Short mmCIF file of all heavy atoms in Angstrom, two decimals:
data_model
loop_
_atom_site.label_atom_id
_atom_site.label_comp_id
_atom_site.label_asym_id
_atom_site.label_seq_id
_atom_site.Cartn_x
_atom_site.Cartn_y
_atom_site.Cartn_z
N LEU A 15 139.19 132.77 99.09
CA LEU A 15 139.76 133.22 100.36
C LEU A 15 140.78 132.20 100.86
O LEU A 15 140.53 131.00 100.86
CB LEU A 15 138.64 133.37 101.40
CG LEU A 15 139.01 133.95 102.76
CD1 LEU A 15 139.36 135.42 102.63
CD2 LEU A 15 137.87 133.76 103.75
N LEU A 16 141.94 132.69 101.28
CA LEU A 16 142.95 131.79 101.85
C LEU A 16 143.68 132.46 103.00
O LEU A 16 143.88 133.68 102.99
CB LEU A 16 143.93 131.33 100.78
CG LEU A 16 144.87 132.35 100.12
CD1 LEU A 16 146.07 131.62 99.55
CD2 LEU A 16 144.17 133.10 99.00
N PRO A 17 144.09 131.69 104.00
CA PRO A 17 144.82 132.25 105.15
C PRO A 17 146.29 132.44 104.83
O PRO A 17 146.85 131.81 103.93
CB PRO A 17 144.62 131.17 106.22
CG PRO A 17 144.49 129.89 105.44
CD PRO A 17 143.78 130.25 104.16
N THR A 18 146.93 133.32 105.60
CA THR A 18 148.37 133.55 105.43
C THR A 18 149.19 132.87 106.52
O THR A 18 150.42 132.91 106.46
CB THR A 18 148.67 135.06 105.44
OG1 THR A 18 148.31 135.60 106.72
CG2 THR A 18 147.91 135.78 104.33
N TYR A 19 148.53 132.29 107.53
CA TYR A 19 149.20 131.53 108.59
C TYR A 19 150.30 132.35 109.28
O TYR A 19 151.35 131.83 109.65
CB TYR A 19 149.78 130.23 108.05
CG TYR A 19 148.72 129.31 107.47
CD1 TYR A 19 148.63 129.10 106.10
CD2 TYR A 19 147.79 128.68 108.32
CE1 TYR A 19 147.65 128.27 105.58
CE2 TYR A 19 146.81 127.85 107.80
CZ TYR A 19 146.74 127.65 106.43
OH TYR A 19 145.76 126.84 105.91
N GLY A 20 150.03 133.63 109.45
CA GLY A 20 150.96 134.49 110.18
C GLY A 20 152.20 134.88 109.42
O GLY A 20 153.11 135.51 109.99
N ASN A 21 152.27 134.55 108.14
CA ASN A 21 153.45 134.88 107.34
C ASN A 21 153.39 136.28 106.74
O ASN A 21 154.35 136.73 106.11
CB ASN A 21 153.63 133.86 106.21
CG ASN A 21 153.96 132.48 106.74
OD1 ASN A 21 154.72 132.36 107.71
ND2 ASN A 21 153.38 131.44 106.14
N GLU A 22 152.25 136.96 106.88
CA GLU A 22 152.09 138.32 106.36
C GLU A 22 151.47 139.18 107.45
O GLU A 22 150.97 138.68 108.47
CB GLU A 22 151.18 138.32 105.12
CG GLU A 22 151.66 137.44 103.98
CD GLU A 22 152.87 138.02 103.25
OE1 GLU A 22 153.24 139.18 103.53
OE2 GLU A 22 153.44 137.31 102.41
N VAL A 23 151.47 140.51 107.25
CA VAL A 23 150.87 141.41 108.24
C VAL A 23 149.34 141.32 108.21
O VAL A 23 148.68 141.71 109.16
CB VAL A 23 151.31 142.88 108.02
CG1 VAL A 23 152.79 143.03 108.28
CG2 VAL A 23 150.94 143.36 106.62
N TYR A 24 148.79 140.84 107.13
CA TYR A 24 147.34 140.63 106.99
C TYR A 24 147.04 139.16 107.22
O TYR A 24 147.82 138.27 106.87
CB TYR A 24 146.84 141.09 105.62
CG TYR A 24 147.78 140.77 104.47
CD1 TYR A 24 147.70 139.55 103.81
CD2 TYR A 24 148.75 141.69 104.06
CE1 TYR A 24 148.56 139.25 102.76
CE2 TYR A 24 149.62 141.40 103.03
CZ TYR A 24 149.53 140.18 102.38
OH TYR A 24 150.38 139.88 101.36
N ARG A 25 145.88 138.88 107.83
CA ARG A 25 145.56 137.51 108.24
C ARG A 25 145.13 136.63 107.08
O ARG A 25 145.43 135.43 107.05
CB ARG A 25 144.46 137.54 109.30
CG ARG A 25 144.89 138.13 110.65
CD ARG A 25 143.72 138.20 111.62
NE ARG A 25 143.02 136.92 111.70
CZ ARG A 25 141.72 136.78 111.44
NH1 ARG A 25 140.98 137.81 111.08
NH2 ARG A 25 141.16 135.59 111.57
N LYS A 26 144.39 137.21 106.13
CA LYS A 26 143.87 136.41 105.01
C LYS A 26 143.98 137.21 103.71
O LYS A 26 144.06 138.44 103.73
CB LYS A 26 142.41 136.02 105.25
CG LYS A 26 142.22 135.09 106.45
CD LYS A 26 140.75 134.76 106.67
CE LYS A 26 140.59 133.85 107.90
NZ LYS A 26 139.16 133.54 108.15
N VAL A 27 143.95 136.50 102.62
CA VAL A 27 143.92 137.11 101.29
C VAL A 27 142.61 136.73 100.62
O VAL A 27 142.24 135.54 100.60
CB VAL A 27 145.11 136.64 100.42
CG1 VAL A 27 144.98 137.22 99.00
CG2 VAL A 27 146.43 137.05 101.03
N LEU A 28 141.92 137.73 100.09
CA LEU A 28 140.71 137.48 99.31
C LEU A 28 141.01 137.85 97.87
O LEU A 28 141.32 139.00 97.56
CB LEU A 28 139.55 138.34 99.83
CG LEU A 28 138.22 138.19 99.08
CD1 LEU A 28 137.63 136.79 99.29
CD2 LEU A 28 137.21 139.25 99.51
N VAL A 29 140.93 136.85 96.99
CA VAL A 29 141.16 137.09 95.58
C VAL A 29 139.81 137.43 94.94
O VAL A 29 138.86 136.64 95.05
CB VAL A 29 141.79 135.87 94.88
CG1 VAL A 29 142.21 136.24 93.46
CG2 VAL A 29 142.98 135.35 95.68
N LEU A 30 139.74 138.57 94.30
CA LEU A 30 138.49 139.08 93.74
C LEU A 30 138.54 139.01 92.23
O LEU A 30 139.37 139.68 91.59
CB LEU A 30 138.26 140.52 94.20
CG LEU A 30 137.01 141.25 93.72
CD1 LEU A 30 135.74 140.54 94.22
CD2 LEU A 30 137.02 142.70 94.19
N GLY A 31 137.68 138.20 91.64
CA GLY A 31 137.63 138.08 90.19
C GLY A 31 136.99 139.29 89.54
O GLY A 31 135.89 139.70 89.93
N LEU A 32 137.68 139.86 88.54
CA LEU A 32 137.15 141.03 87.83
C LEU A 32 136.78 140.72 86.39
O LEU A 32 136.42 141.61 85.63
CB LEU A 32 138.17 142.18 87.87
CG LEU A 32 138.55 142.70 89.26
CD1 LEU A 32 139.47 143.91 89.13
CD2 LEU A 32 137.33 143.03 90.10
N GLY A 33 136.86 139.42 86.02
CA GLY A 33 136.44 139.04 84.67
C GLY A 33 137.46 139.40 83.61
O GLY A 33 138.66 139.55 83.88
N LYS A 34 136.97 139.59 82.39
CA LYS A 34 137.85 139.92 81.28
C LYS A 34 138.24 141.39 81.35
O LYS A 34 137.39 142.26 81.51
CB LYS A 34 137.15 139.61 79.95
CG LYS A 34 136.84 138.13 79.76
CD LYS A 34 136.12 137.87 78.45
CE LYS A 34 135.83 136.38 78.29
NZ LYS A 34 135.08 136.09 77.04
N LYS A 35 139.52 141.63 81.20
CA LYS A 35 140.05 142.98 81.39
C LYS A 35 139.41 143.98 80.43
O LYS A 35 139.10 145.11 80.81
CB LYS A 35 141.56 142.98 81.20
CG LYS A 35 142.25 144.25 81.68
CD LYS A 35 143.75 144.05 81.73
CE LYS A 35 144.44 145.23 82.41
NZ LYS A 35 145.90 145.00 82.55
N GLU A 36 139.19 143.56 79.18
CA GLU A 36 138.63 144.46 78.17
C GLU A 36 137.17 144.79 78.44
O GLU A 36 136.62 145.74 77.88
CB GLU A 36 138.81 143.88 76.77
CG GLU A 36 138.06 142.57 76.50
CD GLU A 36 138.86 141.34 76.89
OE1 GLU A 36 139.84 141.47 77.65
OE2 GLU A 36 138.50 140.24 76.42
N GLU A 37 136.51 144.01 79.30
CA GLU A 37 135.10 144.25 79.60
C GLU A 37 134.91 144.95 80.95
O GLU A 37 133.78 145.29 81.32
CB GLU A 37 134.33 142.92 79.61
CG GLU A 37 134.30 142.23 78.25
CD GLU A 37 133.60 140.89 78.31
OE1 GLU A 37 133.17 140.48 79.42
OE2 GLU A 37 133.46 140.24 77.26
N PHE A 38 136.00 145.17 81.67
CA PHE A 38 135.88 145.75 83.00
C PHE A 38 135.61 147.24 82.90
O PHE A 38 136.16 147.94 82.04
CB PHE A 38 137.16 145.50 83.79
CG PHE A 38 137.01 145.78 85.25
CD1 PHE A 38 136.12 145.06 86.03
CD2 PHE A 38 137.77 146.77 85.87
CE1 PHE A 38 135.98 145.32 87.39
CE2 PHE A 38 137.64 147.04 87.22
CZ PHE A 38 136.75 146.31 87.98
N SER A 39 134.76 147.76 83.78
CA SER A 39 134.30 149.15 83.71
C SER A 39 134.14 149.71 85.12
O SER A 39 134.14 148.97 86.11
CB SER A 39 132.94 149.21 83.00
OG SER A 39 131.95 148.56 83.78
N PRO A 40 133.99 151.04 85.24
CA PRO A 40 133.74 151.63 86.56
C PRO A 40 132.51 151.05 87.26
O PRO A 40 132.52 150.86 88.48
CB PRO A 40 133.57 153.12 86.25
CG PRO A 40 134.41 153.34 85.03
CD PRO A 40 134.23 152.09 84.22
N ASN A 41 131.45 150.77 86.50
CA ASN A 41 130.26 150.18 87.11
C ASN A 41 130.55 148.79 87.66
O ASN A 41 130.07 148.41 88.75
CB ASN A 41 129.11 150.12 86.10
CG ASN A 41 128.44 151.46 85.90
OD1 ASN A 41 128.43 152.29 86.80
ND2 ASN A 41 127.86 151.68 84.74
#
C-alpha cells in the first residue's frame, strides 16, 4: 500500500500480488 499524496484522483494505491501468471486461476 502506498499513498498518492494528492497527485491522483484516488488517495492510495494497493498493489495486489497474483503470483505466477501461468498458475493464476478463477479460484
Side-chain angles (χ1 to χ4, degrees):
L15 185 70
L16 66 157
T18 63
Y19 300 109
N21 294 322
E22 302 287 351
V23 294
Y24 39 88
R25 292 177 50 237
K26 295 179 182 179
V27 176
L28 179 68
V29 189
L30 180 62
L32 299 185
K34 296 179 180 178
K35 194 168 188 176
E36 64 272 17
E37 295 177 358
F38 193 62
S39 66
N41 282 333

